[in-house]
Amino acid sequence: MTAFTHSFAFDPSYGYSLEDLLAVGSPEAPADFEAFWQARYARAMQVHPCPRIRHTGMSHAGFEVYSLRYFSTDHFVIRGWVLIPQDQPVTRGVVFGHGYGGCDGPDYRVHPEGTVLLFPCFRGLARSQHPPVSSNPSFHVLHDIDKPQQYIIGGCVDDLWLAVSSMQMLFPATKGHIGYSGISFGGGIGALAMPWDARIQRAHLNVPTFGHQPLRLQLPTIGSGAAVQRYQQQHGTVLNTLQYYDAASAAQSIQQPMHVAAALFDPAVAPPGQFAVYNALTGEKTLFVLEAGHFDYPNRAKQEQELQQELEVFFALL
């Protein structure tokens, strides 16, 4: 177990050793879990995203920087950024999913040769704000949580699928060579999206959310998870919806090669939930153990650099 000095009212390692974490299972999914998601994917694929990009007038780190706009389900307009390599032909693409902290701009750190990078802002957040959906994570995570079909998290998965559609339309050479990299909230969205979309060849999930929802409701936490726990205390019915949005349940059906960074200590996304996602994967998978997530620690910069080096190699195989 990792010990850090902290001011939380609980232990963000929850008393789990690495061995304990690697033994965390998955909750039982509802009988219609697969049908629920396959129908959702089919519905999303009926939407033409009509993607548009516009040069920002900026270039950086070997990329031309473009603004992105496309349509998603339920008439949401998704905005973000696209990085196009300056001196290399585009041969593959990676879609990036942000955390609940939002997305202030593109990330230049992981860029395998010849890769176009697409950074959508999920509905209601950052560049894709859409009142009355709140951009505050503690309210966003509760939007339509009483309606399994309409829950905002499902809409964010749609946004990812239609980002892939946009990638293929804008950059036809990426077809068959598309990856996904999602952190925290974006990691959970990726786990929910991957089983049903064979267009995504491989993915990295960094401290993914939404793993093992029953545990997520029980273990003390901060941030959006705490908001869901408060809702459950008031209403007692949240698993009626959340059982369909369990990243560990979804991970059992992922076939593509996966790379997961999971933390031993994390006050915002409990490590047992993160490891539940990794443990549920049945195909080719790689684990990178982080000392901590959502927390600054002495070895953080070194670990992030090591992780970025692994991801360069991982996505170069697209």
Side-chain angles (χ1 to χ4, degrees):
M1 286 175 280
T2 304
F4 292 114
T5 301
H6 63 85
S7 58
F8 302 108
F10 58 93
D11 172 16
S13 70
Y14 303 90
Y16 282 72
S17 67
L18 177 58
E19 185 179 7
D20 295 333
L21 290 166
L22 289 169
V24 176
S26 303
E28 187 174 349
D32 61 341
F33 184 86
E34 187 173 320
F36 175 92
W37 281 103
Q38 287 177 336
R40 180 156 208 126
Y41 180 72
R43 173 175 167 257
M45 289 302 96
Q46 292 173 0
V47 175
H48 194 303
C50 302
R52 295 181 184 177
I53 60 173
R54 181 176 54 83
H55 203 286
T56 62
M58 294 189 298
S59 59
H60 184 75
F63 290 96
E64 297 295 329
V65 183
Y66 288 77
S67 289
L68 168 71
R69 178 181 183 271
Y70 65 91
F71 294 108
S72 188
T73 54
D74 307 315
H75 310 292
F76 277 87
V77 178
I78 305 302
R79 294 180 172 85
W81 296 268
V82 177
L83 301 183
I84 303 176
Q86 287 176 314
D87 303 317
Q88 305 158 353
V90 169
T91 57
R92 56 185 161 233
V94 177
V95 178
F96 286 81
H98 58 80
Y100 245 148
C103 185
D104 298 327
D107 186 336
Y108 299 88
R109 291 178 296 177
V110 176
H111 46 79
E113 189 173 323
T115 307
V116 62
L117 311 179
L118 195 153
F119 298 86
C121 298
F122 293 117
R123 62 181 62 190
L125 301 169
R127 276 191 153 185
S128 300
Q129 290 187 30
H130 186 101
V133 178
S134 174
S135 61
N136 181 323
S138 294
F139 297 112
H140 184 279
V141 76
L142 299 179
H143 192 87
D144 284 337
I145 200 170
D146 57 331
K147 306 178 186 75
Q149 295 285 353
Q150 283 80 48
Y151 185 33
I152 191 78
I153 302 306
C156 294
V157 175
D158 295 348
D159 300 342
L160 168 51
W161 288 330
L162 285 156
V164 174
S165 298
S166 297
M167 176 81 82
Q168 291 188 339
M169 291 174 188
L170 293 168
F171 308 99
T174 65
K175 192 170 185 179
H177 305 279
I178 294 176
Y180 177 72
S181 179
I183 187 167
S184 191
F185 175 78
I189 296 297
L192 293 169
M194 289 292 293
W196 330 111
D197 195 341
R199 302 174 304 166
I200 308 172
Q201 266 65 52
R202 55 180 49 222
H204 164 66
L205 310 178
N206 191 328
V207 295
T209 49
F210 311 132
H212 205 310
Q213 295 280 17
L215 266 179
R216 179 170 173 248
L217 289 172
Q218 295 169 17
L219 299 175
T221 189
I222 62 171
S224 61
V228 175
Q229 290 178 351
R230 288 191 294 271
Y231 183 94
Q232 170 67 1
Q233 289 162 8
Q234 293 167 1
H235 300 274
T237 57
V238 75
L239 276 172
N240 293 345
T241 293
L242 293 188
Q243 64 180 336
Y244 290 99
Y245 295 90
D246 196 303
S249 296
Q252 296 178 77
S253 297
I254 293 176
Q255 303 297 315
Q256 303 96 314
M258 299 293 291
H259 188 289
V260 177
L264 301 173
F265 175 106
D266 194 322
V269 180
Q274 298 179 32
F275 276 83
V277 176
Y278 172 78
N279 296 339
L281 296 167
T282 59
E284 179 186 334
K285 61 181 181 178
T286 301
L287 175 66
F288 186 98
V289 178
L290 291 164
E291 292 179 28
H294 298 90
F295 184 79
D296 202 10
Y297 58 99
N299 211 24
R300 181 175 177 177
K302 180 174 179 287
Q303 282 213 297
E304 287 184 351
Q305 186 176 21
E306 291 170 355
L307 176 57
Q308 286 158 22
Q309 289 169 351
E310 282 196 17
L311 294 180
E312 287 281 342
V313 175
F314 179 74
F315 285 119
L317 297 173
L318 278 169

